[in-house]
Amino acid sequence: MKISSAFTALLVAFIISVQPVMAQEEAWTYERCYEYALRHNLTLQQSVLNKRLAELTLKTDRMSMLPTLQGSASGGYIFGRSINITTNQFDNEATFNASIGLSAGADLFGWFSKRNLVASSKYEVYAQNYLLEKARNDMGVNVANAFLQILLAQEQVKISRAQVDLSKTQLDNTKKLVLAGSVPESNQADLEAQLARDSSTLVTAENSAILRTLQMKALLNLGFEVPFGTKIPDNIAAVPVINLAENSPEMIFSSALSIQPQYRSDEMRVKSADKSLAAAKGALYPRLRANAGADTRLAGGTRYEQFGPDNWVTYVSSIGFPKSNPLDTVFTYDQFNNRATRKYTTGRQLADNFGQNIGVSLSFPIFNGWQLRGQVERAKIELENRKLSLDINRLQLRQDVYTAHADAVGAFQKYQAAITTEQASQKAFDFATKRFEVGLMNTVEYVTTQTNLFKAQIERVSALYDYIFKVKLLEFYRDQKITL
């Protein structure tokens, strides 16, 4: 019993200590959503891969400037009459032949073609770094939009639920009045219909909140089964925003132009294309290259070699008698070197046949089907294309900034109008409630007033979140970051 009680006490203590942590884990703030998206979003992962590919290309181009070293080896059997590759004598037996070699080369001068190619790749790496930064910034905008959409959907659910509760209360009161005979039964029917409409609106709002949450999970690459509860700021209307009157569109455009990653990436790509053009032009000129190599050969079969000191042996033999003097004998003298012999080993063959070479070569294109000249022309077109992209994106950035500023001003005015409309609708509803309770207003008019208040509340909340997002988008152009 003591053990069981102690275990129960520990379990209760553990659950109590874990519950705040679980609650904290389930609350997703904008900052947490953004940090999670940076690590898991699939589009961002593609941008990281593009950056790695650019870095790999730069490494490959740099390594191409180093000298080359290649090895070669070959072997096989030769049958029938053939020349022995080590003795240059004819053999008439099956032999195994093999050769091994190394060759090295280095470019001495190539009109800086490779150096310009490396510079082009380096600017491409810079461009990909800026594009990755842009992708991260864009992700911040997308997450902020999705986060605000979730908050808006939750606010709409709250308003719709409050509307349903109000309709239920009014229906309960009307039922009592109908039973007492104070109001006609048609009032009860009208409120029942209104409650059904409000309940349908609540279901739509709840479904919209679910869909917004699913969109956020897809953006974060978060499992759909993972619980996701957002942490709503204490007062979303008090989120700090920039003063639109103090930030003109041209001022924000100038700031965006100096820090906007897309524009900086376009600048790097123009420089990359310029270096690619220089590299293509360099390939049209002669190329000076140094070469060196070494190789050796061996041939199969049983062969012997002499070694050691000379040992000349003379053989004397008689070949006959001359006619002039038959009594004399003619002798011949043959000499050969009777040195010691041994088997000609593979190692000796490789050493004896070892050869080296060194030299320089000059190559220059004469006619290659207009391939090199075509590459130069393509590089020129690509350079002009990237310059146009730079100008187009600059113009698009100016247009986006001016549009965002106009949208932010319009959203602020719409939000102020929505606040005025809600306040007026609230006053009208309060007066209508008092008149309805004393029987001076029929149900249809009262329900209409209530519906107008509900619409005004929804429009005010929608205008608020629309205004916050559009002002934050303007802040993003100015500072390249979003805070909520």
Side-chain angles (χ1 to χ4, degrees):
M1 292 295 293
K2 291 182 179 180
I3 296 177
S4 178
S5 300
F7 177 79
T8 302
L10 289 174
L11 181 61
V12 171
F14 175 77
I15 293 175
I16 293 176
S17 63
V18 168
Q19 281 181 346
V21 177
M22 293 178 61
Q24 182 179 4
E25 284 297 324
E26 293 177 358
W28 287 79
T29 62
Y30 164 73
E31 290 75 15
R32 183 184 175 190
C33 292
Y34 176 58
E35 292 296 330
Y36 190 91
L38 291 182
R39 298 191 303 270
H40 299 88
N41 181 264
L42 300 180
T43 303
L44 280 180
Q45 292 179 18
Q46 285 185 326
S47 298
V48 173
L49 291 179
N50 291 334
K51 174 188 173 182
R52 290 174 57 187
L53 285 175
E55 292 173 342
L56 180 60
T57 301
L58 174 59
K59 181 179 179 180
T60 303
D61 292 340
R62 282 175 172 170
M63 297 299 290
S64 68
M65 299 180 66
L66 299 177
T68 61
L69 179 64
Q70 295 182 346
S72 62
S74 63
Y77 280 93
I78 298 179
F79 302 92
R81 183 177 174 82
S82 61
I83 296 178
N84 190 297
I85 63 175
T86 60
T87 63
N88 283 328
Q89 302 294 325
F90 280 101
D91 287 338
N92 196 16
E93 61 178 343
T95 58
F96 174 78
N97 294 335
S99 62
I100 302 174
L102 283 176
S103 61
D107 288 333
L108 300 179
F109 186 70
W111 299 93
F112 310 109
S113 179
K114 288 188 176 181
R115 185 177 299 179
N116 286 320
L117 190 61
V118 170
S120 174
S121 298
K122 183 167 62 176
Y123 284 123
E124 282 292 338
V125 171
Y126 294 156
Q128 289 299 327
N129 286 334
Y130 284 122
L131 288 178
L132 178 58
E133 182 182 352
K134 177 183 181 296
R136 289 171 176 168
N137 292 340
D138 292 344
M139 184 56 58
V141 174
N142 295 334
V143 171
N145 183 34
F147 188 79
L148 290 174
Q149 290 296 325
I150 291 176
L151 298 186
L152 172 60
Q154 292 176 350
E155 289 291 338
Q156 291 175 341
V157 169
K158 289 182 181 179
I159 295 173
S160 300
R161 186 173 289 116
Q163 180 71 16
V164 169
D165 294 339
L166 178 61
S167 297
K168 287 181 179 179
T169 302
Q170 293 170 348
L171 178 60
D172 292 339
N173 295 333
T174 301
K175 286 180 179 180
K176 295 177 183 178
L177 294 175
V178 170
L179 291 176
S182 301
V183 296
E185 192 173 350
S186 61
N187 289 4
Q188 178 179 342
D190 291 336
L191 288 175
E192 288 176 347
Q194 180 63 29
L195 177 59
R197 288 191 293 269
D198 293 339
S199 299
S200 176
T201 302
L202 175 59
V203 172
T204 301
E206 291 175 340
N207 186 60
S208 177
I210 294 174
L211 294 179
R212 299 299 184 186
T213 302
L214 292 178
Q215 291 175 359
M216 174 65 87
K217 288 184 175 181
L219 187 63
L220 303 183
N221 193 22
L222 182 67
F224 288 172
E225 74 283 355
V226 177
F228 187 92
T230 56
K231 182 179 179 181
I232 303 177
D234 296 333
N235 186 5
I236 189 66
V239 171
V241 295
I242 64 174
N243 190 331
L244 295 177
E246 297 177 356
N247 291 269
S248 65
E250 191 62 29
M251 181 188 304
I252 296 176
F253 169 70
S254 299
S255 176
L257 198 61
S258 62
I259 62 176
Q260 219 268 348
Q262 177 65 63
Y263 187 74
R264 301 297 301 277
S265 173
D266 291 338
E267 291 180 329
M268 295 299 105
R269 300 198 73 188
V270 168
K271 293 181 179 180
S272 174
D274 184 62
K275 293 298 182 180
S276 294
L277 175 58
K281 288 181 178 179
L284 295 174
Y285 296 97
R287 177 186 179 190
L288 183 62
R289 184 175 177 83
N291 302 288
D295 63 350
T296 185
R297 305 176 300 278
L298 66 88
T302 303
R303 293 181 55 202
Y304 295 90
E305 64 172 344
Q306 294 180 335
F307 72 98
D310 293 337
N311 182 19
W312 294 98
V313 178
T314 302
Y315 286 92
V316 181
S317 60
S318 173
I319 60 172
F321 303 94
K323 293 181 178 181
S324 60
N325 189 2
L327 298 178
D328 292 336
T329 303
V330 178
F331 297 93
T332 61
Y333 300 88
D334 296 324
Q335 288 186 330
F336 69 94
N337 198 340
N338 191 22
R339 298 170 60 194
T341 60
R342 62 185 176 186
K343 188 176 181 180
Y344 196 28
T345 63
T346 300
R348 295 280 298 174
Q349 284 196 68
L350 294 176
D352 292 344
N353 294 311
F354 181 67
Q356 308 87 39
N357 65 84
I358 187 171
V360 294
S361 62
L362 180 66
S363 61
F364 46 90
I366 297 177
F367 180 75
N368 60 352
W370 208 70
Q371 295 299 311
L372 294 179
R373 182 65 63 179
Q375 292 177 4
V376 172
E377 295 302 320
R378 282 193 293 269
K380 289 180 180 179
I381 295 174
E382 181 64 21
L383 176 59
E384 293 300 321
N385 185 37
R386 292 192 177 185
K387 287 181 179 179
L388 288 176
S389 295
L390 177 65
D391 294 336
I392 291 172
N393 289 334
R394 178 190 176 96
L395 180 61
Q396 184 65 47
L397 178 61
R398 182 188 293 272
Q399 180 181 348
D400 291 342
V401 169
Y402 273 79
T403 301
H405 189 275
D407 288 343
V409 173
F412 176 73
Q413 295 173 350
K414 182 179 179 181
Y415 174 55
Q416 295 298 320
I419 292 177
T420 303
T421 302
E422 182 185 17
Q423 292 173 349
S425 299
Q426 185 66 54
K427 290 182 180 180
F429 178 71
D430 292 340
F431 286 125
T433 300
K434 293 178 181 179
R435 296 182 63 189
F436 179 75
E437 289 176 350
V438 296
L440 298 179
M441 177 179 283
N442 59 43
T443 308
V444 175
E445 294 175 340
Y446 180 70
V447 169
T448 301
T449 306
Q450 180 180 340
T451 302
N452 292 336
L453 175 60
F454 174 69
K455 291 181 179 179
Q457 291 173 338
I458 292 295
E459 289 177 357
R460 192 264 307 167
V461 172
S462 299
L464 171 62
Y465 283 94
D466 183 60
Y467 163 66
I468 291 176
F469 175 73
K470 289 179 178 177
V471 175
K472 289 298 178 180
L473 181 61
L474 203 60
E475 287 183 1
F476 168 76
Y477 283 118
R478 188 189 68 175
D479 304 326
Q480 289 297 298
K481 62 180 179 180
I482 290 182
T483 57
L484 290 178

